[in-house]
């Protein structure tokens, strides 16, 4: 069993569209450029893994991080988000929270003294909370939804020296079902240094491309519109082995 806790420094590009039954199709809004939400931010990340079975070919992995961002901006044009229309010239304050919780099963089909290669299947769950408040006014739009996506992936661990390891992950999926469309690409490349038997350090780069669309009647996500983001971040962590 191992657990890694670290800091995650990221840059993101996020757009959201929330339509309304009464006002129709909402605007596609860039959170960073149009609403002033922070593009670069720092957060924490937790990763855990448990190997089991006689040969240790089987693994369960858990990945989690939660980020909260905010920003304010005077709107350059009219913006419809859900049931609210914010006119041009209106000052707005935006709060945006993004939460990931991933659970994966991994089977390592190749294991020797230096290389471990595996395939994975799991569930990527993204929680979104967005609140836009008119500065000094009464208009408020508050949206939240959770979108689970199944994932298939590949894993690779290579022992470069007794103390250095190279790690790589690739996860991909696309789903169309019940008025819902989702796609996901999640890649990671990093290196670990293990100066002690039970503790080491790691660093890597993680890139995520994610998009979901739903019409409000989907049983998968309570969303009437679309949400899309691209995230690239640098991860630095400590890992403890049991």
């Amino acid at each position: 069993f191992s657990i890694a806790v670290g800091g995650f420094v990221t840059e993101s590009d996020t757009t959201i569209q929330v339509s309304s039954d009464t006002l129709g199709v909402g605007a596609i809004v860039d959170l960073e450029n149009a609403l002033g939400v922070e593009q670069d931010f720092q957060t924490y990340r937790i990763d855990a893994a448990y190997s089991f079975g006689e040969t240790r070919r089987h693994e369960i992995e858990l990945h989690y991080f939660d980020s909260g961002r905010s920003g304010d901006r005077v709107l350059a044009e009219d913006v419809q988000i859900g049931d609210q229309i914010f006119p041009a010239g209106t000052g707005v304050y935006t709060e945006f929270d993004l939460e990931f919780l991933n659970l994966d099963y991994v089977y390592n089909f190749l294991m020797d003294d230096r290389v471990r290669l595996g395939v994975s299947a799991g569930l990527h769950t993204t929680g979104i909370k967005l609140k836009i408040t008119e500065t000094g006014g009464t208009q408020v739009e508050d949206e939240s939804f959770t979108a689970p996506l199944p994932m298939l992936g590949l894993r690779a661990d290579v022992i470069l020296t007794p103390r250095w390891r190279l790690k790589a992950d690739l996860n991909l999926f696309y789903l169309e079902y019940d008025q819902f469309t989702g796609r996901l690409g999640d890649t990671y490349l990093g290196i670990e240094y293990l100066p002690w038997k039970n503790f080491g350090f790691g660093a890597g780069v993680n890139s995520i491309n994610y998009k979901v669309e739903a019409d409000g009647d989907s049983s998968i996500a309570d969303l009437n519109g679309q949400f899309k983001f691209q995230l690239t971040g640098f991860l630095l962590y400590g890992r403890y082995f049991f």
Side-chain angles (χ1 to χ4, degrees), residues 14 16 31 96-100 126-130 143-147 210 212 223 227 229:
T14 314
I16 192 166
L31 296 190
F96 176 66
D97 186 73
L98 178 65
E99 184 179 36
F100 285 164
T126 302
I128 306 294
K129 293 181 182 178
L130 176 68
E143 298 284 342
S144 64
F145 70 93
T146 300
Y210 180 93
V212 295
L223 170 68
F227 173 75
F229 72 87

Side-chain angles (χ1 to χ4, degrees), residues 3-217:
I3 185 167
V5 179
F8 198 33
V9 181
T10 71
E11 179 180 279
S12 67
D13 182 13
T14 314
T15 60
I16 192 166
Q17 177 191 45
V18 183
S19 299
S20 166
D21 293 335
T22 55
L23 298 179
V25 178
I28 298 177
V29 182
D30 187 310
L31 296 190
E32 290 83 8
N33 293 326
L35 300 183
V37 173
E38 301 161 280
Q39 184 174 29
D40 304 320
F41 61 98
Q42 300 81 41
T43 186
Y44 66 93
R45 174 167 162 165
I46 300 173
D47 299 277
Y50 174 63
S51 299
F52 59 97
E54 250 181 66
T55 61
R56 297 295 190 268
R57 289 184 180 271
H58 306 276
E59 281 185 60
I60 297 293
E61 295 180 347
L62 179 70
H63 311 281
Y64 176 81
F65 90 83
D66 185 4
S67 70
R69 293 183 281 156
S70 61
D72 55 76
R73 183 65 52 90
V74 175
L75 297 177
E77 57 185 8
D78 293 354
V79 174
Q80 178 201 333
I81 302 177
D83 293 323
Q84 302 292 336
I85 297 178
F86 297 91
T90 302
V92 294
Y93 177 71
T94 303
E95 299 170 87
F96 176 66
D97 186 73
L98 178 65
E99 184 179 36
F100 285 164
L101 179 61
N102 301 347
L103 183 64
D104 300 312
Y105 164 75
V106 182
Y107 175 72
N108 295 297
F109 60 87
L110 174 63
M111 293 180 65
D112 61 26
D113 293 338
R114 293 192 58 193
V115 178
R116 181 173 59 184
L117 298 178
V119 293
S120 66
L123 190 66
H124 178 114
T125 302
T126 302
I128 306 294
K129 293 181 182 178
L130 176 68
K131 184 177 182 180
I132 302 172
T133 306
E134 179 186 3
T135 305
T138 59
Q139 287 196 95
V140 177
E141 181 65 24
D142 200 345
E143 298 284 342
S144 64
F145 70 93
T146 300
L149 273 183
M151 288 192 304
L152 300 174
L154 298 172
R155 300 284 190 274
D157 290 335
V158 180
I159 297 176
L160 304 174
T161 74
R163 297 188 185 277
W164 290 93
R165 293 183 181 179
L166 181 68
K167 299 179 71 68
D169 296 348
L170 171 64
N171 300 284
L172 299 169
F173 207 79
Y174 180 84
L175 176 68
E176 285 188 50
Y177 177 75
D178 190 25
Q179 311 302 317
F180 173 90
T181 302
R183 70 169 185 258
L184 170 69
D186 186 344
T187 60
Y188 174 79
L189 180 64
I191 194 165
E192 286 189 348
Y193 174 61
L194 309 176
W196 301 286
K197 179 181 178 181
N198 295 101
F199 189 77
F201 304 95
V205 176
N206 189 198
S207 179
I208 301 172
N209 285 275
Y210 180 93
K211 183 177 181 180
V212 295
E213 295 180 80
D215 70 353
D217 296 322

